[in-house]
Amino acid sequence: MDGDLDQPHSLVLQPLAGLLYWSEVGSHPRLMKASMDGSQRHVLLAQGLGWPTALALDLPTWRIFWLDEKLGSVGSAHLDGTSVKVLHLSWVRSPFAAVVCEEQLYWSERKAWSVQQVDKASGKNRTVLLKRHGQPHGLQVMHPALRPMVPNPCAARGCSHLCLLSAGRAGQCRCPTGLTLATNETTCLPLHDSAFALLVSPAAVTQVLSSGAGPGGCCPPAVRVGSPS
């Protein structure tokens, strides 16, 4: 996911579904959605956004909220990007992080050094909960109902190095830099023990494993990819 990112700013996770959401505040502001293993990436929302600098999930209502620094607004939508609602609120000026708990939306203001709350549906009943120079920007709601105990799909996956959640709560084995995934899809091997090719495009370099990678496999010719000078 290191290609085609346009100033990513805020990121929230939905681990029980294996999904992640993030905002981008570059030349084309948008909200993005992908599996937590980096696959199935697509645009969730790309209209009516300025600088969506703070995201929050409200899973009981199946909605995502964002605070927009440029437009001075609070927006929300279903997790599929439909049913968009926007509230223009003059006190939204430099939001950094946000969380939703029951009927309240909480967020931190970066320049005002404050933590505030409003009614998530109407934007009314604004309250400044904390105002202090040096106030930390990050926010989290801690409640057992928001963190249910469920089986970890990576526990029995048998990955040699990394296991990432994917959509549908399945575990996908991945490898750190310098290693590549063998054809058994669980073991990471040094590059010199594996056969692979590189495909290059203007936005990314993609590694493709040979079907014969591994001991005794058939290695394709080495491929070297360079960027234009």
Side-chain angles (χ1 to χ4, degrees), residues 156-185:
R157 189 65 177 83
C159 301
S160 64
H161 287 72
L162 301 174
C163 181
L164 305 180
L165 294 178
S166 62
R169 294 188 59 248
Q172 300 292 332
C173 298
R174 293 292 183 266
C175 300
T177 302
L179 301 178
T180 189
L181 195 63
T183 53
N184 64 9
E185 297 185 347

PDB file of all heavy atoms in Angstrom, residues 156-185:
ATOM      1  N   ALA A 156      -3.836 -20.138  14.662  1.00  0.00           N
ATOM      2  CA  ALA A 156      -3.600 -21.459  14.082  1.00  0.00           C
ATOM      3  C   ALA A 156      -3.079 -21.387  12.648  1.00  0.00           C
ATOM      4  O   ALA A 156      -3.002 -22.415  11.973  1.00  0.00           O
ATOM      5  CB  ALA A 156      -4.892 -22.277  14.108  1.00  0.00           C
ATOM      6  N   ARG A 157      -2.712 -20.200  12.203  1.00  0.00           N
ATOM      7  CA  ARG A 157      -2.302 -20.040  10.796  1.00  0.00           C
ATOM      8  C   ARG A 157      -0.911 -20.590  10.535  1.00  0.00           C
ATOM      9  O   ARG A 157      -0.606 -21.032   9.429  1.00  0.00           O
ATOM     10  CB  ARG A 157      -2.374 -18.563  10.423  1.00  0.00           C
ATOM     11  CG  ARG A 157      -2.187 -18.244   8.958  1.00  0.00           C
ATOM     12  CD  ARG A 157      -3.291 -18.809   8.108  1.00  0.00           C
ATOM     13  NE  ARG A 157      -3.127 -18.432   6.712  1.00  0.00           N
ATOM     14  CZ  ARG A 157      -2.340 -19.077   5.853  1.00  0.00           C
ATOM     15  NH1 ARG A 157      -1.637 -20.130   6.256  1.00  0.00           N
ATOM     16  NH2 ARG A 157      -2.240 -18.668   4.612  1.00  0.00           N
ATOM     17  N   GLY A 158      -0.026 -20.560  11.541  1.00  0.00           N
ATOM     18  CA  GLY A 158       1.312 -21.139  11.380  1.00  0.00           C
ATOM     19  C   GLY A 158       2.280 -20.296  10.584  1.00  0.00           C
ATOM     20  O   GLY A 158       3.229 -20.830   9.995  1.00  0.00           O
ATOM     21  N   CYS A 159       2.077 -18.991  10.556  1.00  0.00           N
ATOM     22  CA  CYS A 159       2.981 -18.115   9.803  1.00  0.00           C
ATOM     23  C   CYS A 159       4.357 -18.060  10.471  1.00  0.00           C
ATOM     24  O   CYS A 159       4.458 -17.989  11.694  1.00  0.00           O
ATOM     25  CB  CYS A 159       2.406 -16.708   9.710  1.00  0.00           C
ATOM     26  SG  CYS A 159       0.791 -16.619   8.916  1.00  0.00           S
ATOM     27  N   SER A 160       5.401 -18.076   9.667  1.00  0.00           N
ATOM     28  CA  SER A 160       6.755 -18.070  10.228  1.00  0.00           C
ATOM     29  C   SER A 160       7.154 -16.706  10.780  1.00  0.00           C
ATOM     30  O   SER A 160       7.975 -16.626  11.696  1.00  0.00           O
ATOM     31  CB  SER A 160       7.771 -18.501   9.167  1.00  0.00           C
ATOM     32  OG  SER A 160       7.816 -17.556   8.094  1.00  0.00           O
ATOM     33  N   HIS A 161       6.589 -15.606  10.259  1.00  0.00           N
ATOM     34  CA  HIS A 161       7.017 -14.275  10.676  1.00  0.00           C
ATOM     35  C   HIS A 161       5.837 -13.361  11.022  1.00  0.00           C
ATOM     36  O   HIS A 161       5.692 -12.961  12.165  1.00  0.00           O
ATOM     37  CB  HIS A 161       7.878 -13.627   9.587  1.00  0.00           C
ATOM     38  CG  HIS A 161       9.241 -14.216   9.469  1.00  0.00           C
ATOM     39  ND1 HIS A 161       9.464 -15.479   8.936  1.00  0.00           N
ATOM     40  CD2 HIS A 161      10.468 -13.736   9.818  1.00  0.00           C
ATOM     41  CE1 HIS A 161      10.758 -15.744   8.961  1.00  0.00           C
ATOM     42  NE2 HIS A 161      11.393 -14.711   9.487  1.00  0.00           N
ATOM     43  N   LEU A 162       5.028 -13.003  10.037  1.00  0.00           N
ATOM     44  CA  LEU A 162       3.934 -12.053  10.241  1.00  0.00           C
ATOM     45  C   LEU A 162       2.610 -12.662   9.801  1.00  0.00           C
ATOM     46  O   LEU A 162       2.556 -13.409   8.824  1.00  0.00           O
ATOM     47  CB  LEU A 162       4.166 -10.770   9.441  1.00  0.00           C
ATOM     48  CG  LEU A 162       5.437  -9.976   9.724  1.00  0.00           C
ATOM     49  CD1 LEU A 162       5.556  -8.818   8.740  1.00  0.00           C
ATOM     50  CD2 LEU A 162       5.443  -9.451  11.144  1.00  0.00           C
ATOM     51  N   CYS A 163       1.544 -12.311  10.523  1.00  0.00           N
ATOM     52  CA  CYS A 163       0.194 -12.704  10.120  1.00  0.00           C
ATOM     53  C   CYS A 163      -0.683 -11.458  10.179  1.00  0.00           C
ATOM     54  O   CYS A 163      -0.765 -10.801  11.215  1.00  0.00           O
ATOM     55  CB  CYS A 163      -0.370 -13.796  11.030  1.00  0.00           C
ATOM     56  SG  CYS A 163      -2.038 -14.338  10.550  1.00  0.00           S
ATOM     57  N   LEU A 164      -1.314 -11.131   9.060  1.00  0.00           N
ATOM     58  CA  LEU A 164      -2.174  -9.954   8.971  1.00  0.00           C
ATOM     59  C   LEU A 164      -3.614 -10.382   8.768  1.00  0.00           C
ATOM     60  O   LEU A 164      -3.892 -11.337   8.049  1.00  0.00           O
ATOM     61  CB  LEU A 164      -1.741  -9.061   7.801  1.00  0.00           C
ATOM     62  CG  LEU A 164      -0.281  -8.609   7.798  1.00  0.00           C
ATOM     63  CD1 LEU A 164      -0.004  -7.734   6.586  1.00  0.00           C
ATOM     64  CD2 LEU A 164       0.071  -7.869   9.077  1.00  0.00           C
ATOM     65  N   LEU A 165      -4.525  -9.654   9.412  1.00  0.00           N
ATOM     66  CA  LEU A 165      -5.944  -9.942   9.235  1.00  0.00           C
ATOM     67  C   LEU A 165      -6.404  -9.496   7.854  1.00  0.00           C
ATOM     68  O   LEU A 165      -5.923  -8.504   7.314  1.00  0.00           O
ATOM     69  CB  LEU A 165      -6.765  -9.230  10.294  1.00  0.00           C
ATOM     70  CG  LEU A 165      -6.562  -9.681  11.746  1.00  0.00           C
ATOM     71  CD1 LEU A 165      -7.428  -8.835  12.673  1.00  0.00           C
ATOM     72  CD2 LEU A 165      -6.904 -11.141  11.900  1.00  0.00           C
ATOM     73  N   SER A 166      -7.349 -10.222   7.297  1.00  0.00           N
ATOM     74  CA  SER A 166      -7.945  -9.838   6.029  1.00  0.00           C
ATOM     75  C   SER A 166      -9.455  -9.829   6.174  1.00  0.00           C
ATOM     76  O   SER A 166      -9.999 -10.269   7.186  1.00  0.00           O
ATOM     77  CB  SER A 166      -7.524 -10.802   4.914  1.00  0.00           C
ATOM     78  OG  SER A 166      -7.981 -12.111   5.192  1.00  0.00           O
ATOM     79  N   ALA A 167     -10.138  -9.307   5.164  1.00  0.00           N
ATOM     80  CA  ALA A 167     -11.594  -9.238   5.201  1.00  0.00           C
ATOM     81  C   ALA A 167     -12.168 -10.634   5.405  1.00  0.00           C
ATOM     82  O   ALA A 167     -11.693 -11.610   4.831  1.00  0.00           O
ATOM     83  CB  ALA A 167     -12.132  -8.631   3.910  1.00  0.00           C
ATOM     84  N   GLY A 168     -13.188 -10.725   6.246  1.00  0.00           N
ATOM     85  CA  GLY A 168     -13.738 -12.036   6.576  1.00  0.00           C
ATOM     86  C   GLY A 168     -13.031 -12.681   7.752  1.00  0.00           C
ATOM     87  O   GLY A 168     -13.248 -13.856   8.041  1.00  0.00           O
ATOM     88  N   ARG A 169     -12.137 -11.921   8.433  1.00  0.00           N
ATOM     89  CA  ARG A 169     -11.429 -12.406   9.624  1.00  0.00           C
ATOM     90  C   ARG A 169     -10.613 -13.656   9.345  1.00  0.00           C
ATOM     91  O   ARG A 169     -10.588 -14.593  10.117  1.00  0.00           O
ATOM     92  CB  ARG A 169     -12.410 -12.659  10.768  1.00  0.00           C
ATOM     93  CG  ARG A 169     -13.087 -11.411  11.313  1.00  0.00           C
ATOM     94  CD  ARG A 169     -13.906 -11.684  12.562  1.00  0.00           C
ATOM     95  NE  ARG A 169     -13.077 -12.226  13.612  1.00  0.00           N
ATOM     96  CZ  ARG A 169     -13.170 -13.474  14.056  1.00  0.00           C
ATOM     97  NH1 ARG A 169     -14.038 -14.326  13.522  1.00  0.00           N
ATOM     98  NH2 ARG A 169     -12.391 -13.902  15.033  1.00  0.00           N
ATOM     99  N   ALA A 170      -9.911 -13.639   8.224  1.00  0.00           N
ATOM    100  CA  ALA A 170      -8.954 -14.701   7.925  1.00  0.00           C
ATOM    101  C   ALA A 170      -7.550 -14.152   8.144  1.00  0.00           C
ATOM    102  O   ALA A 170      -7.330 -12.946   8.099  1.00  0.00           O
ATOM    103  CB  ALA A 170      -9.127 -15.189   6.485  1.00  0.00           C
ATOM    104  N   GLY A 171      -6.591 -15.041   8.404  1.00  0.00           N
ATOM    105  CA  GLY A 171      -5.211 -14.634   8.590  1.00  0.00           C
ATOM    106  C   GLY A 171      -4.398 -14.863   7.325  1.00  0.00           C
ATOM    107  O   GLY A 171      -4.509 -15.914   6.691  1.00  0.00           O
ATOM    108  N   GLN A 172      -3.576 -13.873   6.956  1.00  0.00           N
ATOM    109  CA  GLN A 172      -2.729 -13.973   5.777  1.00  0.00           C
ATOM    110  C   GLN A 172      -1.273 -13.812   6.198  1.00  0.00           C
ATOM    111  O   GLN A 172      -0.925 -12.845   6.871  1.00  0.00           O
ATOM    112  CB  GLN A 172      -3.092 -12.897   4.755  1.00  0.00           C
ATOM    113  CG  GLN A 172      -4.530 -12.973   4.251  1.00  0.00           C
ATOM    114  CD  GLN A 172      -4.782 -14.204   3.407  1.00  0.00           C
ATOM    115  OE1 GLN A 172      -3.879 -14.734   2.763  1.00  0.00           O
ATOM    116  NE2 GLN A 172      -6.025 -14.685   3.413  1.00  0.00           N
ATOM    117  N   CYS A 173      -0.438 -14.776   5.826  1.00  0.00           N
ATOM    118  CA  CYS A 173       0.982 -14.702   6.166  1.00  0.00           C
ATOM    119  C   CYS A 173       1.686 -13.681   5.277  1.00  0.00           C
ATOM    120  O   CYS A 173       1.445 -13.629   4.074  1.00  0.00           O
ATOM    121  CB  CYS A 173       1.639 -16.069   6.006  1.00  0.00           C
ATOM    122  SG  CYS A 173       0.980 -17.355   7.096  1.00  0.00           S
ATOM    123  N   ARG A 174       2.562 -12.896   5.883  1.00  0.00           N
ATOM    124  CA  ARG A 174       3.356 -11.919   5.158  1.00  0.00           C
ATOM    125  C   ARG A 174       4.785 -11.937   5.696  1.00  0.00           C
ATOM    126  O   ARG A 174       5.050 -12.521   6.753  1.00  0.00           O
ATOM    127  CB  ARG A 174       2.757 -10.521   5.295  1.00  0.00           C
ATOM    128  CG  ARG A 174       1.401 -10.359   4.612  1.00  0.00           C
ATOM    129  CD  ARG A 174       1.517 -10.440   3.108  1.00  0.00           C
ATOM    130  NE  ARG A 174       0.242 -10.220   2.450  1.00  0.00           N
ATOM    131  CZ  ARG A 174      -0.598 -11.177   2.089  1.00  0.00           C
ATOM    132  NH1 ARG A 174      -0.299 -12.448   2.353  1.00  0.00           N
ATOM    133  NH2 ARG A 174      -1.726 -10.885   1.477  1.00  0.00           N
ATOM    134  N   CYS A 175       5.684 -11.297   4.973  1.00  0.00           N
ATOM    135  CA  CYS A 175       7.110 -11.348   5.317  1.00  0.00           C
ATOM    136  C   CYS A 175       7.682  -9.951   5.507  1.00  0.00           C
ATOM    137  O   CYS A 175       7.254  -9.006   4.828  1.00  0.00           O
ATOM    138  CB  CYS A 175       7.885 -12.060   4.214  1.00  0.00           C
ATOM    139  SG  CYS A 175       7.352 -13.764   3.926  1.00  0.00           S
ATOM    140  N   PRO A 176       8.662  -9.803   6.398  1.00  0.00           N
ATOM    141  CA  PRO A 176       9.341  -8.521   6.549  1.00  0.00           C
ATOM    142  C   PRO A 176      10.253  -8.248   5.357  1.00  0.00           C
ATOM    143  O   PRO A 176      10.508  -9.128   4.526  1.00  0.00           O
ATOM    144  CB  PRO A 176      10.138  -8.696   7.845  1.00  0.00           C
ATOM    145  CG  PRO A 176      10.348 -10.173   7.960  1.00  0.00           C
ATOM    146  CD  PRO A 176       9.135 -10.815   7.353  1.00  0.00           C
ATOM    147  N   THR A 177      10.761  -7.037   5.293  1.00  0.00           N
ATOM    148  CA  THR A 177      11.653  -6.643   4.212  1.00  0.00           C
ATOM    149  C   THR A 177      12.875  -7.558   4.167  1.00  0.00           C
ATOM    150  O   THR A 177      13.463  -7.883   5.198  1.00  0.00           O
ATOM    151  CB  THR A 177      12.106  -5.190   4.398  1.00  0.00           C
ATOM    152  OG1 THR A 177      10.948  -4.348   4.446  1.00  0.00           O
ATOM    153  CG2 THR A 177      13.006  -4.736   3.269  1.00  0.00           C
ATOM    154  N   GLY A 178      13.235  -7.983   2.984  1.00  0.00           N
ATOM    155  CA  GLY A 178      14.384  -8.861   2.804  1.00  0.00           C
ATOM    156  C   GLY A 178      14.035 -10.325   2.705  1.00  0.00           C
ATOM    157  O   GLY A 178      14.900 -11.151   2.404  1.00  0.00           O
ATOM    158  N   LEU A 179      12.780 -10.675   2.995  1.00  0.00           N
ATOM    159  CA  LEU A 179      12.315 -12.053   2.880  1.00  0.00           C
ATOM    160  C   LEU A 179      11.127 -12.104   1.922  1.00  0.00           C
ATOM    161  O   LEU A 179      10.475 -11.096   1.677  1.00  0.00           O
ATOM    162  CB  LEU A 179      11.908 -12.615   4.243  1.00  0.00           C
ATOM    163  CG  LEU A 179      12.973 -12.647   5.341  1.00  0.00           C
ATOM    164  CD1 LEU A 179      12.382 -13.198   6.626  1.00  0.00           C
ATOM    165  CD2 LEU A 179      14.173 -13.474   4.905  1.00  0.00           C
ATOM    166  N   THR A 180      10.851 -13.297   1.402  1.00  0.00           N
ATOM    167  CA  THR A 180       9.714 -13.470   0.499  1.00  0.00           C
ATOM    168  C   THR A 180       8.944 -14.721   0.883  1.00  0.00           C
ATOM    169  O   THR A 180       9.501 -15.665   1.455  1.00  0.00           O
ATOM    170  CB  THR A 180      10.190 -13.554  -0.964  1.00  0.00           C
ATOM    171  OG1 THR A 180       9.057 -13.504  -1.831  1.00  0.00           O
ATOM    172  CG2 THR A 180      10.945 -14.847  -1.227  1.00  0.00           C
ATOM    173  N   LEU A 181       7.651 -14.717   0.597  1.00  0.00           N
ATOM    174  CA  LEU A 181       6.772 -15.813   0.995  1.00  0.00           C
ATOM    175  C   LEU A 181       6.927 -16.990   0.043  1.00  0.00           C
ATOM    176  O   LEU A 181       6.841 -16.845  -1.181  1.00  0.00           O
ATOM    177  CB  LEU A 181       5.316 -15.331   1.016  1.00  0.00           C
ATOM    178  CG  LEU A 181       4.299 -16.222   1.734  1.00  0.00           C
ATOM    179  CD1 LEU A 181       4.628 -16.324   3.220  1.00  0.00           C
ATOM    180  CD2 LEU A 181       2.889 -15.660   1.544  1.00  0.00           C
ATOM    181  N   ALA A 182       7.135 -18.176   0.614  1.00  0.00           N
ATOM    182  CA  ALA A 182       7.270 -19.392  -0.182  1.00  0.00           C
ATOM    183  C   ALA A 182       5.910 -19.819  -0.722  1.00  0.00           C
ATOM    184  O   ALA A 182       4.862 -19.294  -0.341  1.00  0.00           O
ATOM    185  CB  ALA A 182       7.880 -20.512   0.667  1.00  0.00           C
ATOM    186  N   THR A 183       5.919 -20.803  -1.600  1.00  0.00           N
ATOM    187  CA  THR A 183       4.680 -21.258  -2.228  1.00  0.00           C
ATOM    188  C   THR A 183       3.732 -21.924  -1.244  1.00  0.00           C
ATOM    189  O   THR A 183       2.548 -22.069  -1.536  1.00  0.00           O
ATOM    190  CB  THR A 183       4.988 -22.229  -3.375  1.00  0.00           C
ATOM    191  OG1 THR A 183       5.828 -23.286  -2.880  1.00  0.00           O
ATOM    192  CG2 THR A 183       5.706 -21.513  -4.508  1.00  0.00           C
ATOM    193  N   ASN A 184       4.229 -22.347  -0.063  1.00  0.00           N
ATOM    194  CA  ASN A 184       3.314 -22.915   0.934  1.00  0.00           C
ATOM    195  C   ASN A 184       2.507 -21.837   1.653  1.00  0.00           C
ATOM    196  O   ASN A 184       1.639 -22.143   2.470  1.00  0.00           O
ATOM    197  CB  ASN A 184       4.081 -23.766   1.949  1.00  0.00           C
ATOM    198  CG  ASN A 184       5.079 -22.952   2.777  1.00  0.00           C
ATOM    199  OD1 ASN A 184       5.114 -21.727   2.741  1.00  0.00           O
ATOM    200  ND2 ASN A 184       5.919 -23.662   3.525  1.00  0.00           N
ATOM    201  N   GLU A 185       2.806 -20.558   1.364  1.00  0.00           N
ATOM    202  CA  GLU A 185       2.083 -19.396   1.879  1.00  0.00           C
ATOM    203  C   GLU A 185       2.113 -19.276   3.397  1.00  0.00           C
ATOM    204  O   GLU A 185       1.269 -18.622   3.992  1.00  0.00           O
ATOM    205  CB  GLU A 185       0.620 -19.394   1.387  1.00  0.00           C
ATOM    206  CG  GLU A 185       0.502 -19.288  -0.122  1.00  0.00           C
ATOM    207  CD  GLU A 185      -0.934 -19.154  -0.581  1.00  0.00           C
ATOM    208  OE1 GLU A 185      -1.853 -19.382   0.244  1.00  0.00           O
ATOM    209  OE2 GLU A 185      -1.155 -18.812  -1.749  1.00  0.00           O
TER     210      GLU A 185
END
